[in-house]
Amino acid sequence: MVLRKQKPPRDPPIFSAAAFRVISILLLSSSSVEGIIGISWGRQTTHRLIPSMVVDLLLQNGIRHVKLFSPSDNVLRAFAGGEIAVTMTLPNEGLYNIGYPDLAAYWLQTRIRAYQDLNVNIKYLYVGSEPFSTYYRKKMYINANEALRSIQDAIEANGYKDLVATTPHFTDMLAPDIRKPSEADFHPDWKSKMVEFVGLLNRTNAPFVMDMFPMYSVSQMGWDTEFAFVDNKSNFTIVDDNGLVYTNVFEFFYDSFLTAIAKAGAPHLKLIVGQVGWPTDGYPEATTANAERFFRGTPLRPGISIDVFIYSLADENLNKLTLGGFQRHWGVYRSDGDPKYKIDFTGKGRDIFPTTAKGVVMMPKRWCVFNGDKRNLTKVKKEVEDACMMGDCTPSWPGGSCDNLDFDTNVSYAFNRYFQAMAQSIDDKSITCDFKGLGKVVVKDPSVGSCRFPMEILSAEMADSNGLTNGEDGERRRGFFGLFLLIIFVLELNWGHGFVL
Ligand SMILES: *[C@@H]1O[C@H](CO)[C@@H](O)[C@H](O)[C@H]1NC(C)=O
Ligand SMILES: *[C@@H]1O[C@H](CO)[C@@H](O)[C@H](O)[C@H]1NC(C)=O
Ligand SMILES: *[C@@H]1O[C@H](CO)[C@@H](O)[C@H](O)[C@H]1NC(C)=O
Ligand SMILES: *[C@@H]1O[C@H](CO)[C@@H](O)[C@H](O)[C@H]1NC(C)=O
Ligand SMILES: *[C@@H]1O[C@H](CO)[C@@H](O)[C@H](O)[C@H]1NC(C)=O
């Protein structure tokens, strides 16, 4: 992908998203510059699709750009051949140590060059993920800029010609009281860090990457829910001083970032959307119908020349739940590779379902349900609680697709999620449908109405050892290098990711 230079947005920004909208309507037929559409693929799941299967799925749907959250060897190898451009992430937990030039060089060598040599097309490196944000976690990674600088220097010193490093930031890096995009600026608490960050991007002409979450933003700002959608049905609009009318939060934040970046002194930087999505369960507005509607709007509309990465490919039943149950339901696909709603990844606006993952083998049709013994309700509730520690019960939370089950079915739901997460194990050593005598295995699908009792895929992929390759094992290293490897190990753990979110 060639970095497309935007004209400097002055005050008012002349190349805002709202302006693009107008331009694209006027010039639809002759629009030559189209943004790319990519997707994030995370693997915080109990059962994982095989990487080659996912690569196949992406290609079938015409998706040519993928973002990964950690450098797992088997995943990266699946992208050999270079048909899909890969954006890789250096997890936040590695930011501190990557400030050492030797470690930065070593990490690039083992995590980037080794795969580029296998013809994996790694275009972007995200150094951390929303490092300064606190909307879903307390910890901040305040040395992210130093890490980015270190990586930039190592890229330069070691001749990685086509690799571009940047860091994605969430909308909470903008001042909280923005009412008009043309008045936007970075958050006062983070202003000096963000100005420094923009200066770093300016060094290498790297793009600014913004992550956003429309459903969350409208509720935070106290705006009409319709303002989260991009199909111009909101009665609530924002009229800027420059005459632009904002009918949705996507364009509002896009243009706000353009203004803030321009104020930080680098108006020519490209702005891409590194993460945007709409979850489908675990919250009242989180439905497949709303997700489908959302994606019919701007980000995937023909003629729009903004690069957008959809969050995310498939549901992840081990994602953290700091913001709510919906965090496990971001996928366009269910975790088994079955699409939930219509979306045209090629941006042509066709009314189509994406293709289903090929070659998936499901677990046998067996479910675990409650046997109805309510003599000791304390015990029943305790077993449900335990089941939900490992099983994903978020659909049975308020607003979820299973929030209106009767007591017995609700207990069954929890038991079944655990049973499936434990791969339906019923051998002597691990009977996972026991629940102190309260569970029983059935062969009839207990799903009721819109509440599915999901099964898992037959776990075809054993998780690799947290993204470590075996390559290092055979080599004997001592002293400083042992410590060095320990640090590298920390850098390579398969941590959670943004929105995680
Ligand atoms: C961006 O880089 C240009 C030249 O490369 C320089 O003139 C300008 O001051 C830089 N801006 C910032 C904000 O660093
Ligand atoms: C949005 O809808 C309003 C009223 O329905 C209309 O006047 C306006 O032109 C529409 N804007 C766009 C960008 O389609
Ligand atoms: C917007 O306004 C129109 C006309 O005033 C009304 O019919 C419609 O229900 C309103 N839509 C929403 C989402 O409030
Ligand atoms: C009910 O179950 C709880 C938790 O398993 C247990 O501590 C308690 O003794 C049980 N009560 C009776 C009456 O069996
Ligand atoms: C159903 O079970 C979930 C846990 O799986 C619990 O959070 C919820 O409160 C239960 N709902 C009812 C109606 O018992």
Side-chain angles (χ1 to χ4, degrees), residues 384 388 393 396-397 405 407 410 414:
V384 166
C388 293
C393 297
S396 65
W397 292 9
L405 300 177
F407 183 84
N410 197 43

Side-chain angles (χ1 to χ4, degrees), residues 228-247:
F229 296 98
V230 196
D231 52 7
N232 190 26
K233 296 209 172 113
S234 172
N235 287 350
F236 167 75
T237 56
I238 289 168
V239 183
D240 212 334
D241 297 333
N242 50 34
L244 290 175
V245 180
Y246 292 88
T247 60

